[in-house]
Amino acid sequence: MGNAEINKSCPYVKECGACHIGERTYEEELAQKKQQVEAYVKKYCPVADMAGMYYPYHYRNKVHAVFGRIKDEVVAGTYEEGTHRIIPIKSCLIEDVQASKIIETVTDLIKSFKIWVYNEDTCRGLMRHILIRKGMSTKQIMVVLVTAGPEFPHKKNFVAKLREIHPEITTIVQNINDQNTTMVLGEKNKALYGNGYIEDVLCGLRFRISPSSFYQINSAQAQVLYKKAIQAAALTGTETVIDAYCGIGTIGMIMATKAKRVTGIELNNDAVRDAKENAKRNNIDNIRFVVGDATEYMTSMSENAEHADVLVLDPPRSGSTESFVKAAASIAPKRIVYISCNPETLGRDLEWFRKAGYRAVKAEGVDMFAFTNHTEAIVTMQRKDSR
Ligand code: SAH
C-alpha cells in the first residue's frame, strides 16, 4: 500500500468535517468501505476488495474555499457543517498543495487590494468563493474567483499580481453568483486570463474541463475506475453504447475506441460543450453527445424501436430513478455497468434493475476519496436472458 501507512494528523479535522484523517488507518478505511458496499450490494453479487490509492494524500484536483471575515481579518476556509461560521484553513492533507498556496495568495491580495468579501448573512460584499481546478497530468491550473456581482475593482492589477506570484496558473475566470444560495458557482463565467478552461489527460485521451463541468476529483484513481468500467463492459468493437450521465464524456470516449458507436447523454450544457470539443480533439468520430435527461432520451429511443448493447451509467449521489431503470430496460442492453458514488442509492437501484430483468454479476470498489466517508463502486449487470 505504498506510503499509506504513514500516519498524518490535521489540526482542523474536528471543526472542518470534510475528512476523517487520523481516525483510522488507511487499510482499516479500505476494509470498512468494502463492508459498506457489501451492506447494500452483497445480496445481489460478490464484492471485491477496494482498489486503494498508492499515496492517499493531496489527491483532490478541485479545491474550494469560501471567503469571510473573522474579527476584521479576511480569511479563506470552509463552513463549519450546518452553519455560516468559517473555519480558516491554511493547508489540507487531501487537497492539492499548489491550490492551497494559491488560495493563501488570493486571500492576501484581497486584503491588499481592499476588496470586500461577501457576507452570507447580510448578502453584502463582493468576493464569495475561490475554486481551483488542476489538470494533474498537464499541470494546467484554473483559478475561478466567484463574485456576488459583475464588478471587480482593480481587476487587471489583481490578475497581474496573482500571475506574477503564481506563473503556474494557466487561466483565471470570474464567475458571477448573485444568488443567495449554497451553490458555489453562478451561471456566468468571464475569462480574465487564458482560455477559461483546463485540460487533463486520462487513459491516454485529452479532456477539456470548464469551471462548472463535472470531473472526477481524483485523477489517478479515475483512471483505475475507468479501466475497470471498460473491462466490465467487455467491448469487442461491434457494440452500441449509451453513456448516461456522461459529464464531459470521459467514459464514453474511452469506450468509443473499443465500440461501434457511443451516445453520451448529459443535462449540463457546458459539460456537453466540453464533451463535443473533447471528441474532436481526440479524433473520435463514433461518439455523439446529447444535452438532456437520460430517462427521456432512452424512452424516445425505445419508442423508435432502437436498442443499445451496453449501458454505462454514472449518476450523482442521489442515484438513478425507477423511471430511468424502466427506460434502460426498454432499450434492452445486454450488459449494464453502473458506476456509483453512493452505496446506499446503488443498493436501492439494483433492486429496480433486478425487477427489470438484470442480474448483478460483480461489484468492485475503487477508493476515490481517501480519509472521507465517500465510497465509489462499480457493478456489472447482465440481462437475465443473455450471457
Ligand atoms: N460520467 C461522468 C460524469 C458523472 S457525474 C464522469 O465520470 O466524469 C454525474 C453527471 O450526471 C453530472 O455531470 C450531471 O450533470 C449529470 N446528470 C444529472 N442528472 C442527469 C439526468 N437526469 N440526465 C442526464 N445527466 C444528468
Side-chain angles (χ1 to χ4, degrees), residues 212-216 225-226 243-252 265-268 271 290 292-295 312-317 319 324 339 376:
S212 70
S213 297
F214 177 89
Y215 185 64
Q216 290 288 355
L225 180 75
Y226 293 157
D243 179 8
Y245 310 94
C246 72
I248 59 167
T250 39
I251 301 171
I265 307 135
E266 164 61 49
L267 269 184
N268 180 320
V290 180
D293 171 61
T295 305
V312 182
L313 69 146
D314 183 7
R317 284 183 57 74
F324 176 98
I339 302 176
E376 187 95 7

PDB file of all heavy atoms in Angstrom, residues 212-216 225-226 243-252 265-268 271 290 292-295 312-317 319 324 339 376, ligand 1:
ATOM      1  N   SER A 212     -17.720  24.704 -14.475  1.00  0.00           N
ATOM      2  CA  SER A 212     -18.838  24.008 -13.821  1.00  0.00           C
ATOM      3  C   SER A 212     -18.997  22.563 -14.281  1.00  0.00           C
ATOM      4  O   SER A 212     -19.890  21.862 -13.810  1.00  0.00           O
ATOM      5  CB  SER A 212     -20.142  24.766 -14.058  1.00  0.00           C
ATOM      6  OG  SER A 212     -20.498  24.634 -15.410  1.00  0.00           O
ATOM      7  N   SER A 213     -18.160  22.096 -15.179  1.00  0.00           N
ATOM      8  CA  SER A 213     -18.315  20.705 -15.648  1.00  0.00           C
ATOM      9  C   SER A 213     -17.855  19.722 -14.584  1.00  0.00           C
ATOM     10  O   SER A 213     -16.851  19.947 -13.914  1.00  0.00           O
ATOM     11  CB  SER A 213     -17.464  20.463 -16.898  1.00  0.00           C
ATOM     12  OG  SER A 213     -17.895  21.269 -17.945  1.00  0.00           O
ATOM     13  N   PHE A 214     -18.578  18.620 -14.488  1.00  0.00           N
ATOM     14  CA  PHE A 214     -18.157  17.583 -13.544  1.00  0.00           C
ATOM     15  C   PHE A 214     -16.883  16.916 -14.061  1.00  0.00           C
ATOM     16  O   PHE A 214     -16.767  16.582 -15.237  1.00  0.00           O
ATOM     17  CB  PHE A 214     -19.253  16.509 -13.386  1.00  0.00           C
ATOM     18  CG  PHE A 214     -18.813  15.392 -12.484  1.00  0.00           C
ATOM     19  CD1 PHE A 214     -19.031  15.455 -11.128  1.00  0.00           C
ATOM     20  CD2 PHE A 214     -18.130  14.292 -13.000  1.00  0.00           C
ATOM     21  CE1 PHE A 214     -18.580  14.439 -10.288  1.00  0.00           C
ATOM     22  CE2 PHE A 214     -17.681  13.273 -12.173  1.00  0.00           C
ATOM     23  CZ  PHE A 214     -17.908  13.351 -10.820  1.00  0.00           C
ATOM     24  N   TYR A 215     -15.947  16.719 -13.162  1.00  0.00           N
ATOM     25  CA  TYR A 215     -14.737  15.963 -13.494  1.00  0.00           C
ATOM     26  C   TYR A 215     -14.315  15.254 -12.221  1.00  0.00           C
ATOM     27  O   TYR A 215     -14.324  15.864 -11.147  1.00  0.00           O
ATOM     28  CB  TYR A 215     -13.639  16.933 -13.955  1.00  0.00           C
ATOM     29  CG  TYR A 215     -12.376  16.254 -14.438  1.00  0.00           C
ATOM     30  CD1 TYR A 215     -12.394  15.445 -15.575  1.00  0.00           C
ATOM     31  CD2 TYR A 215     -11.173  16.422 -13.773  1.00  0.00           C
ATOM     32  CE1 TYR A 215     -11.242  14.821 -16.018  1.00  0.00           C
ATOM     33  CE2 TYR A 215     -10.012  15.806 -14.219  1.00  0.00           C
ATOM     34  CZ  TYR A 215     -10.060  15.003 -15.342  1.00  0.00           C
ATOM     35  OH  TYR A 215      -8.917  14.392 -15.787  1.00  0.00           O
ATOM     36  N   GLN A 216     -13.965  13.972 -12.325  1.00  0.00           N
ATOM     37  CA  GLN A 216     -13.584  13.229 -11.124  1.00  0.00           C
ATOM     38  C   GLN A 216     -12.488  13.983 -10.387  1.00  0.00           C
ATOM     39  O   GLN A 216     -11.519  14.408 -11.002  1.00  0.00           O
ATOM     40  CB  GLN A 216     -13.090  11.824 -11.505  1.00  0.00           C
ATOM     41  CG  GLN A 216     -14.186  10.897 -12.006  1.00  0.00           C
ATOM     42  CD  GLN A 216     -15.127  10.420 -10.911  1.00  0.00           C
ATOM     43  OE1 GLN A 216     -14.928  10.695  -9.726  1.00  0.00           O
ATOM     44  NE2 GLN A 216     -16.164   9.717 -11.304  1.00  0.00           N
ATOM     45  N   LEU A 225     -10.654   3.525 -12.047  1.00  0.00           N
ATOM     46  CA  LEU A 225     -12.103   3.332 -12.144  1.00  0.00           C
ATOM     47  C   LEU A 225     -12.534   3.098 -13.596  1.00  0.00           C
ATOM     48  O   LEU A 225     -13.279   2.171 -13.903  1.00  0.00           O
ATOM     49  CB  LEU A 225     -12.799   4.576 -11.579  1.00  0.00           C
ATOM     50  CG  LEU A 225     -14.317   4.595 -11.592  1.00  0.00           C
ATOM     51  CD1 LEU A 225     -14.856   3.690 -10.485  1.00  0.00           C
ATOM     52  CD2 LEU A 225     -14.856   6.016 -11.377  1.00  0.00           C
ATOM     53  N   TYR A 226     -12.056   3.972 -14.486  1.00  0.00           N
ATOM     54  CA  TYR A 226     -12.492   3.876 -15.879  1.00  0.00           C
ATOM     55  C   TYR A 226     -11.981   2.585 -16.528  1.00  0.00           C
ATOM     56  O   TYR A 226     -12.675   1.968 -17.337  1.00  0.00           O
ATOM     57  CB  TYR A 226     -12.023   5.100 -16.678  1.00  0.00           C
ATOM     58  CG  TYR A 226     -12.694   6.394 -16.245  1.00  0.00           C
ATOM     59  CD1 TYR A 226     -12.106   7.627 -16.492  1.00  0.00           C
ATOM     60  CD2 TYR A 226     -13.929   6.388 -15.606  1.00  0.00           C
ATOM     61  CE1 TYR A 226     -12.711   8.815 -16.100  1.00  0.00           C
ATOM     62  CE2 TYR A 226     -14.540   7.570 -15.214  1.00  0.00           C
ATOM     63  CZ  TYR A 226     -13.924   8.780 -15.465  1.00  0.00           C
ATOM     64  OH  TYR A 226     -14.533   9.951 -15.089  1.00  0.00           O
ATOM     65  N   ASP A 243     -23.807   6.124 -22.817  1.00  0.00           N
ATOM     66  CA  ASP A 243     -23.102   6.632 -21.629  1.00  0.00           C
ATOM     67  C   ASP A 243     -24.037   7.653 -20.977  1.00  0.00           C
ATOM     68  O   ASP A 243     -24.099   8.812 -21.395  1.00  0.00           O
ATOM     69  CB  ASP A 243     -21.773   7.265 -22.075  1.00  0.00           C
ATOM     70  CG  ASP A 243     -20.968   7.848 -20.911  1.00  0.00           C
ATOM     71  OD1 ASP A 243     -21.357   7.637 -19.746  1.00  0.00           O
ATOM     72  OD2 ASP A 243     -19.956   8.531 -21.186  1.00  0.00           O
ATOM     73  N   ALA A 244     -24.818   7.176 -19.995  1.00  0.00           N
ATOM     74  CA  ALA A 244     -25.805   8.058 -19.364  1.00  0.00           C
ATOM     75  C   ALA A 244     -25.162   8.818 -18.212  1.00  0.00           C
ATOM     76  O   ALA A 244     -24.343   8.254 -17.498  1.00  0.00           O
ATOM     77  CB  ALA A 244     -26.979   7.228 -18.846  1.00  0.00           C
ATOM     78  N   TYR A 245     -25.551  10.094 -18.031  1.00  0.00           N
ATOM     79  CA  TYR A 245     -24.913  10.980 -17.040  1.00  0.00           C
ATOM     80  C   TYR A 245     -23.431  11.135 -17.410  1.00  0.00           C
ATOM     81  O   TYR A 245     -22.546  10.901 -16.578  1.00  0.00           O
ATOM     82  CB  TYR A 245     -25.004  10.407 -15.620  1.00  0.00           C
ATOM     83  CG  TYR A 245     -26.366   9.952 -15.152  1.00  0.00           C
ATOM     84  CD1 TYR A 245     -26.772   8.626 -15.287  1.00  0.00           C
ATOM     85  CD2 TYR A 245     -27.235  10.853 -14.532  1.00  0.00           C
ATOM     86  CE1 TYR A 245     -28.011   8.207 -14.817  1.00  0.00           C
ATOM     87  CE2 TYR A 245     -28.467  10.432 -14.052  1.00  0.00           C
ATOM     88  CZ  TYR A 245     -28.855   9.110 -14.197  1.00  0.00           C
ATOM     89  OH  TYR A 245     -30.070   8.682 -13.725  1.00  0.00           O
ATOM     90  N   CYS A 246     -23.157  11.513 -18.642  1.00  0.00           N
ATOM     91  CA  CYS A 246     -21.790  11.368 -19.185  1.00  0.00           C
ATOM     92  C   CYS A 246     -20.832  12.494 -18.825  1.00  0.00           C
ATOM     93  O   CYS A 246     -19.632  12.377 -19.071  1.00  0.00           O
ATOM     94  CB  CYS A 246     -21.843  11.199 -20.692  1.00  0.00           C
ATOM     95  SG  CYS A 246     -22.287  12.714 -21.556  1.00  0.00           S
ATOM     96  N   GLY A 247     -21.314  13.607 -18.260  1.00  0.00           N
ATOM     97  CA  GLY A 247     -20.394  14.709 -17.934  1.00  0.00           C
ATOM     98  C   GLY A 247     -19.668  15.194 -19.180  1.00  0.00           C
ATOM     99  O   GLY A 247     -20.284  15.396 -20.236  1.00  0.00           O
ATOM    100  N   ILE A 248     -18.349  15.357 -19.098  1.00  0.00           N
ATOM    101  CA  ILE A 248     -17.584  15.854 -20.248  1.00  0.00           C
ATOM    102  C   ILE A 248     -17.199  14.714 -21.209  1.00  0.00           C
ATOM    103  O   ILE A 248     -16.365  14.881 -22.093  1.00  0.00           O
ATOM    104  CB  ILE A 248     -16.318  16.618 -19.813  1.00  0.00           C
ATOM    105  CG1 ILE A 248     -15.400  15.711 -18.979  1.00  0.00           C
ATOM    106  CG2 ILE A 248     -16.689  17.880 -19.048  1.00  0.00           C
ATOM    107  CD1 ILE A 248     -14.008  16.292 -18.773  1.00  0.00           C
ATOM    108  N   GLY A 249     -17.795  13.541 -20.993  1.00  0.00           N
ATOM    109  CA  GLY A 249     -17.665  12.456 -21.973  1.00  0.00           C
ATOM    110  C   GLY A 249     -16.509  11.498 -21.753  1.00  0.00           C
ATOM    111  O   GLY A 249     -16.191  10.695 -22.637  1.00  0.00           O
ATOM    112  N   THR A 250     -15.881  11.563 -20.576  1.00  0.00           N
ATOM    113  CA  THR A 250     -14.678  10.745 -20.339  1.00  0.00           C
ATOM    114  C   THR A 250     -14.917   9.252 -20.604  1.00  0.00           C
ATOM    115  O   THR A 250     -14.211   8.658 -21.420  1.00  0.00           O
ATOM    116  CB  THR A 250     -14.207  10.911 -18.871  1.00  0.00           C
ATOM    117  OG1 THR A 250     -15.353  10.956 -18.043  1.00  0.00           O
ATOM    118  CG2 THR A 250     -13.414  12.172 -18.679  1.00  0.00           C
ATOM    119  N   ILE A 251     -15.892   8.665 -19.940  1.00  0.00           N
ATOM    120  CA  ILE A 251     -16.060   7.212 -20.022  1.00  0.00           C
ATOM    121  C   ILE A 251     -16.438   6.800 -21.446  1.00  0.00           C
ATOM    122  O   ILE A 251     -15.852   5.880 -22.014  1.00  0.00           O
ATOM    123  CB  ILE A 251     -17.142   6.729 -19.030  1.00  0.00           C
ATOM    124  CG1 ILE A 251     -16.739   7.132 -17.611  1.00  0.00           C
ATOM    125  CG2 ILE A 251     -17.360   5.233 -19.115  1.00  0.00           C
ATOM    126  CD1 ILE A 251     -17.804   6.901 -16.579  1.00  0.00           C
ATOM    127  N   GLY A 252     -17.394   7.523 -22.007  1.00  0.00           N
ATOM    128  CA  GLY A 252     -17.847   7.188 -23.359  1.00  0.00           C
ATOM    129  C   GLY A 252     -16.711   7.266 -24.364  1.00  0.00           C
ATOM    130  O   GLY A 252     -16.571   6.421 -25.251  1.00  0.00           O
ATOM    131  N   ILE A 265     -25.223  11.091 -22.855  1.00  0.00           N
ATOM    132  CA  ILE A 265     -26.365  11.964 -22.525  1.00  0.00           C
ATOM    133  C   ILE A 265     -26.083  12.667 -21.203  1.00  0.00           C
ATOM    134  O   ILE A 265     -25.718  12.029 -20.218  1.00  0.00           O
ATOM    135  CB  ILE A 265     -27.675  11.163 -22.407  1.00  0.00           C
ATOM    136  CG1 ILE A 265     -27.870  10.333 -23.679  1.00  0.00           C
ATOM    137  CG2 ILE A 265     -28.869  12.089 -22.229  1.00  0.00           C
ATOM    138  CD1 ILE A 265     -28.290   8.962 -23.393  1.00  0.00           C
ATOM    139  N   GLU A 266     -26.314  13.978 -21.201  1.00  0.00           N
ATOM    140  CA  GLU A 266     -25.911  14.794 -20.053  1.00  0.00           C
ATOM    141  C   GLU A 266     -26.785  16.036 -19.985  1.00  0.00           C
ATOM    142  O   GLU A 266     -27.061  16.662 -20.997  1.00  0.00           O
ATOM    143  CB  GLU A 266     -24.424  15.154 -20.238  1.00  0.00           C
ATOM    144  CG  GLU A 266     -23.890  16.287 -19.393  1.00  0.00           C
ATOM    145  CD  GLU A 266     -23.973  16.036 -17.888  1.00  0.00           C
ATOM    146  OE1 GLU A 266     -23.552  14.959 -17.436  1.00  0.00           O
ATOM    147  OE2 GLU A 266     -24.486  16.913 -17.185  1.00  0.00           O
ATOM    148  N   LEU A 267     -27.200  16.391 -18.764  1.00  0.00           N
ATOM    149  CA  LEU A 267     -28.070  17.561 -18.564  1.00  0.00           C
ATOM    150  C   LEU A 267     -27.338  18.893 -18.693  1.00  0.00           C
ATOM    151  O   LEU A 267     -27.919  19.875 -19.144  1.00  0.00           O
ATOM    152  CB  LEU A 267     -28.675  17.503 -17.151  1.00  0.00           C
ATOM    153  CG  LEU A 267     -30.001  16.805 -16.926  1.00  0.00           C
ATOM    154  CD1 LEU A 267     -30.420  16.989 -15.471  1.00  0.00           C
ATOM    155  CD2 LEU A 267     -31.084  17.325 -17.858  1.00  0.00           C
ATOM    156  N   ASN A 268     -26.083  18.932 -18.237  1.00  0.00           N
ATOM    157  CA  ASN A 268     -25.365  20.211 -18.165  1.00  0.00           C
ATOM    158  C   ASN A 268     -24.810  20.618 -19.540  1.00  0.00           C
ATOM    159  O   ASN A 268     -23.960  19.945 -20.118  1.00  0.00           O
ATOM    160  CB  ASN A 268     -24.235  20.062 -17.130  1.00  0.00           C
ATOM    161  CG  ASN A 268     -23.410  21.317 -16.951  1.00  0.00           C
ATOM    162  OD1 ASN A 268     -23.093  22.019 -17.924  1.00  0.00           O
ATOM    163  ND2 ASN A 268     -23.049  21.601 -15.731  1.00  0.00           N
ATOM    164  N   ALA A 271     -21.022  21.038 -19.899  1.00  0.00           N
ATOM    165  CA  ALA A 271     -20.314  19.751 -19.933  1.00  0.00           C
ATOM    166  C   ALA A 271     -20.412  19.148 -21.328  1.00  0.00           C
ATOM    167  O   ALA A 271     -19.434  18.609 -21.854  1.00  0.00           O
ATOM    168  CB  ALA A 271     -20.893  18.807 -18.886  1.00  0.00           C
ATOM    169  N   VAL A 290     -25.658  14.286 -26.413  1.00  0.00           N
ATOM    170  CA  VAL A 290     -26.982  14.885 -26.410  1.00  0.00           C
ATOM    171  C   VAL A 290     -27.162  15.618 -25.082  1.00  0.00           C
ATOM    172  O   VAL A 290     -26.851  15.063 -24.025  1.00  0.00           O
ATOM    173  CB  VAL A 290     -28.052  13.762 -26.509  1.00  0.00           C
ATOM    174  CG1 VAL A 290     -29.451  14.352 -26.510  1.00  0.00           C
ATOM    175  CG2 VAL A 290     -27.808  12.892 -27.727  1.00  0.00           C
ATOM    176  N   GLY A 292     -29.607  16.625 -22.381  1.00  0.00           N
ATOM    177  CA  GLY A 292     -30.965  16.266 -21.999  1.00  0.00           C
ATOM    178  C   GLY A 292     -30.989  15.289 -20.851  1.00  0.00           C
ATOM    179  O   GLY A 292     -29.959  14.935 -20.279  1.00  0.00           O
ATOM    180  N   ASP A 293     -32.197  14.871 -20.528  1.00  0.00           N
ATOM    181  CA  ASP A 293     -32.410  13.930 -19.424  1.00  0.00           C
ATOM    182  C   ASP A 293     -32.253  12.506 -19.962  1.00  0.00           C
ATOM    183  O   ASP A 293     -32.852  12.142 -20.975  1.00  0.00           O
ATOM    184  CB  ASP A 293     -33.818  14.156 -18.867  1.00  0.00           C
ATOM    185  CG  ASP A 293     -34.208  13.082 -17.882  1.00  0.00           C
ATOM    186  OD1 ASP A 293     -33.522  12.954 -16.852  1.00  0.00           O
ATOM    187  OD2 ASP A 293     -35.172  12.336 -18.158  1.00  0.00           O
ATOM    188  N   ALA A 294     -31.442  11.709 -19.269  1.00  0.00           N
ATOM    189  CA  ALA A 294     -31.114  10.369 -19.757  1.00  0.00           C
ATOM    190  C   ALA A 294     -32.362   9.487 -19.875  1.00  0.00           C
ATOM    191  O   ALA A 294     -32.492   8.711 -20.828  1.00  0.00           O
ATOM    192  CB  ALA A 294     -30.097   9.734 -18.824  1.00  0.00           C
ATOM    193  N   THR A 295     -33.284   9.628 -18.930  1.00  0.00           N
ATOM    194  CA  THR A 295     -34.509   8.814 -18.969  1.00  0.00           C
ATOM    195  C   THR A 295     -35.331   9.144 -20.214  1.00  0.00           C
ATOM    196  O   THR A 295     -35.757   8.257 -20.957  1.00  0.00           O
ATOM    197  CB  THR A 295     -35.369   9.081 -17.706  1.00  0.00           C
ATOM    198  OG1 THR A 295     -34.547   8.853 -16.571  1.00  0.00           O
ATOM    199  CG2 THR A 295     -36.589   8.189 -17.663  1.00  0.00           C
ATOM    200  N   VAL A 312     -23.811   2.335 -19.834  1.00  0.00           N
ATOM    201  CA  VAL A 312     -22.983   2.731 -18.699  1.00  0.00           C
ATOM    202  C   VAL A 312     -23.722   3.865 -18.013  1.00  0.00           C
ATOM    203  O   VAL A 312     -24.201   4.781 -18.689  1.00  0.00           O
ATOM    204  CB  VAL A 312     -21.606   3.261 -19.164  1.00  0.00           C
ATOM    205  CG1 VAL A 312     -20.750   3.630 -17.969  1.00  0.00           C
ATOM    206  CG2 VAL A 312     -20.909   2.245 -20.022  1.00  0.00           C
ATOM    207  N   LEU A 313     -23.856   3.790 -16.706  1.00  0.00           N
ATOM    208  CA  LEU A 313     -24.459   4.933 -16.018  1.00  0.00           C
ATOM    209  C   LEU A 313     -23.600   5.325 -14.822  1.00  0.00           C
ATOM    210  O   LEU A 313     -23.024   4.476 -14.153  1.00  0.00           O
ATOM    211  CB  LEU A 313     -25.902   4.649 -15.592  1.00  0.00           C
ATOM    212  CG  LEU A 313     -26.196   3.644 -14.495  1.00  0.00           C
ATOM    213  CD1 LEU A 313     -27.404   4.101 -13.696  1.00  0.00           C
ATOM    214  CD2 LEU A 313     -26.471   2.277 -15.069  1.00  0.00           C
ATOM    215  N   ASP A 314     -23.491   6.619 -14.626  1.00  0.00           N
ATOM    216  CA  ASP A 314     -22.641   7.174 -13.562  1.00  0.00           C
ATOM    217  C   ASP A 314     -23.377   8.358 -12.949  1.00  0.00           C
ATOM    218  O   ASP A 314     -23.015   9.513 -13.148  1.00  0.00           O
ATOM    219  CB  ASP A 314     -21.309   7.618 -14.208  1.00  0.00           C
ATOM    220  CG  ASP A 314     -20.318   8.135 -13.180  1.00  0.00           C
ATOM    221  OD1 ASP A 314     -20.586   8.033 -11.971  1.00  0.00           O
ATOM    222  OD2 ASP A 314     -19.272   8.663 -13.608  1.00  0.00           O
ATOM    223  N   PRO A 315     -24.472   8.067 -12.225  1.00  0.00           N
ATOM    224  CA  PRO A 315     -25.325   9.162 -11.732  1.00  0.00           C
ATOM    225  C   PRO A 315     -24.726   9.903 -10.534  1.00  0.00           C
ATOM    226  O   PRO A 315     -23.772   9.427  -9.929  1.00  0.00           O
ATOM    227  CB  PRO A 315     -26.605   8.423 -11.316  1.00  0.00           C
ATOM    228  CG  PRO A 315     -26.167   7.057 -10.961  1.00  0.00           C
ATOM    229  CD  PRO A 315     -24.978   6.744 -11.825  1.00  0.00           C
ATOM    230  N   PRO A 316     -25.291  11.050 -10.160  1.00  0.00           N
ATOM    231  CA  PRO A 316     -24.864  11.756  -8.943  1.00  0.00           C
ATOM    232  C   PRO A 316     -25.194  10.944  -7.689  1.00  0.00           C
ATOM    233  O   PRO A 316     -25.809   9.878  -7.787  1.00  0.00           O
ATOM    234  CB  PRO A 316     -25.685  13.051  -8.962  1.00  0.00           C
ATOM    235  CG  PRO A 316     -26.360  13.108 -10.285  1.00  0.00           C
ATOM    236  CD  PRO A 316     -26.381  11.742 -10.851  1.00  0.00           C
ATOM    237  N   ARG A 317     -24.862  11.471  -6.518  1.00  0.00           N
ATOM    238  CA  ARG A 317     -25.032  10.723  -5.263  1.00  0.00           C
ATOM    239  C   ARG A 317     -26.481  10.276  -5.014  1.00  0.00           C
ATOM    240  O   ARG A 317     -26.722   9.270  -4.388  1.00  0.00           O
ATOM    241  CB  ARG A 317     -24.584  11.593  -4.069  1.00  0.00           C
ATOM    242  CG  ARG A 317     -23.090  11.692  -3.932  1.00  0.00           C
ATOM    243  CD  ARG A 317     -22.692  12.484  -2.701  1.00  0.00           C
ATOM    244  NE  ARG A 317     -23.235  11.938  -1.466  1.00  0.00           N
ATOM    245  CZ  ARG A 317     -22.794  10.826  -0.875  1.00  0.00           C
ATOM    246  NH1 ARG A 317     -21.805  10.162  -1.406  1.00  0.00           N
ATOM    247  NH2 ARG A 317     -23.328  10.417   0.236  1.00  0.00           N
ATOM    248  N   GLY A 319     -28.297   8.953  -6.956  1.00  0.00           N
ATOM    249  CA  GLY A 319     -28.527   7.711  -7.685  1.00  0.00           C
ATOM    250  C   GLY A 319     -29.432   7.912  -8.885  1.00  0.00           C
ATOM    251  O   GLY A 319     -29.662   9.031  -9.347  1.00  0.00           O
ATOM    252  N   PHE A 324     -35.819   5.805 -14.754  1.00  0.00           N
ATOM    253  CA  PHE A 324     -34.596   5.603 -15.538  1.00  0.00           C
ATOM    254  C   PHE A 324     -34.397   4.104 -15.789  1.00  0.00           C
ATOM    255  O   PHE A 324     -34.118   3.676 -16.907  1.00  0.00           O
ATOM    256  CB  PHE A 324     -33.377   6.166 -14.795  1.00  0.00           C
ATOM    257  CG  PHE A 324     -32.064   5.917 -15.503  1.00  0.00           C
ATOM    258  CD1 PHE A 324     -31.472   6.896 -16.288  1.00  0.00           C
ATOM    259  CD2 PHE A 324     -31.409   4.679 -15.377  1.00  0.00           C
ATOM    260  CE1 PHE A 324     -30.259   6.657 -16.939  1.00  0.00           C
ATOM    261  CE2 PHE A 324     -30.202   4.429 -16.027  1.00  0.00           C
ATOM    262  CZ  PHE A 324     -29.626   5.418 -16.807  1.00  0.00           C
ATOM    263  N   ILE A 339     -21.703   2.819 -12.342  1.00  0.00           N
ATOM    264  CA  ILE A 339     -20.670   3.436 -11.507  1.00  0.00           C
ATOM    265  C   ILE A 339     -21.384   4.305 -10.485  1.00  0.00           C
ATOM    266  O   ILE A 339     -22.191   5.160 -10.853  1.00  0.00           O
ATOM    267  CB  ILE A 339     -19.719   4.295 -12.367  1.00  0.00           C
ATOM    268  CG1 ILE A 339     -19.092   3.423 -13.458  1.00  0.00           C
ATOM    269  CG2 ILE A 339     -18.643   4.949 -11.502  1.00  0.00           C
ATOM    270  CD1 ILE A 339     -18.219   4.185 -14.414  1.00  0.00           C
ATOM    271  N   GLU A 376     -16.857   4.730  -3.672  1.00  0.00           N
ATOM    272  CA  GLU A 376     -17.189   4.565  -5.098  1.00  0.00           C
ATOM    273  C   GLU A 376     -17.175   3.075  -5.445  1.00  0.00           C
ATOM    274  O   GLU A 376     -16.296   2.341  -4.980  1.00  0.00           O
ATOM    275  CB  GLU A 376     -16.134   5.312  -5.927  1.00  0.00           C
ATOM    276  CG  GLU A 376     -16.403   5.386  -7.403  1.00  0.00           C
ATOM    277  CD  GLU A 376     -17.107   6.678  -7.816  1.00  0.00           C
ATOM    278  OE1 GLU A 376     -17.268   7.583  -6.964  1.00  0.00           O
ATOM    279  OE2 GLU A 376     -17.505   6.762  -8.985  1.00  0.00           O
TER     280      GLU A 376
HETATM  281  N1  SAH B   1     -19.553  10.112 -16.120  1.00  0.00           N
HETATM  282  C1  SAH B   1     -19.002  11.404 -15.888  1.00  0.00           C
HETATM  283  C2  SAH B   1     -19.851  12.317 -15.001  1.00  0.00           C
HETATM  284  C3  SAH B   1     -20.559  11.719 -13.815  1.00  0.00           C
HETATM  285  S1  SAH B   1     -21.256  12.903 -12.676  1.00  0.00           S
HETATM  286  C4  SAH B   1     -17.570  11.295 -15.382  1.00  0.00           C
HETATM  287  O1  SAH B   1     -17.131  10.248 -14.936  1.00  0.00           O
HETATM  288  O2  SAH B   1     -16.848  12.292 -15.440  1.00  0.00           O
HETATM  289  C5  SAH B   1     -22.946  12.844 -12.983  1.00  0.00           C
HETATM  290  C6  SAH B   1     -23.401  13.700 -14.143  1.00  0.00           C
HETATM  291  O3  SAH B   1     -24.805  13.449 -14.343  1.00  0.00           O
HETATM  292  C7  SAH B   1     -23.277  15.213 -13.930  1.00  0.00           C
HETATM  293  O4  SAH B   1     -22.483  15.746 -14.975  1.00  0.00           O
HETATM  294  C8  SAH B   1     -24.739  15.726 -14.006  1.00  0.00           C
HETATM  295  O5  SAH B   1     -24.824  16.986 -14.645  1.00  0.00           O
HETATM  296  C9  SAH B   1     -25.413  14.641 -14.831  1.00  0.00           C
HETATM  297  N2  SAH B   1     -26.863  14.458 -14.663  1.00  0.00           N
HETATM  298  C10 SAH B   1     -27.600  14.569 -13.527  1.00  0.00           C
HETATM  299  N3  SAH B   1     -28.876  14.216 -13.753  1.00  0.00           N
HETATM  300  C11 SAH B   1     -28.975  13.852 -15.062  1.00  0.00           C
HETATM  301  C12 SAH B   1     -30.041  13.382 -15.876  1.00  0.00           C
HETATM  302  N4  SAH B   1     -31.276  13.218 -15.391  1.00  0.00           N
HETATM  303  N5  SAH B   1     -29.782  13.086 -17.180  1.00  0.00           N
HETATM  304  C13 SAH B   1     -28.529  13.246 -17.686  1.00  0.00           C
HETATM  305  N6  SAH B   1     -27.477  13.707 -16.950  1.00  0.00           N
HETATM  306  C14 SAH B   1     -27.687  14.001 -15.655  1.00  0.00           C
END
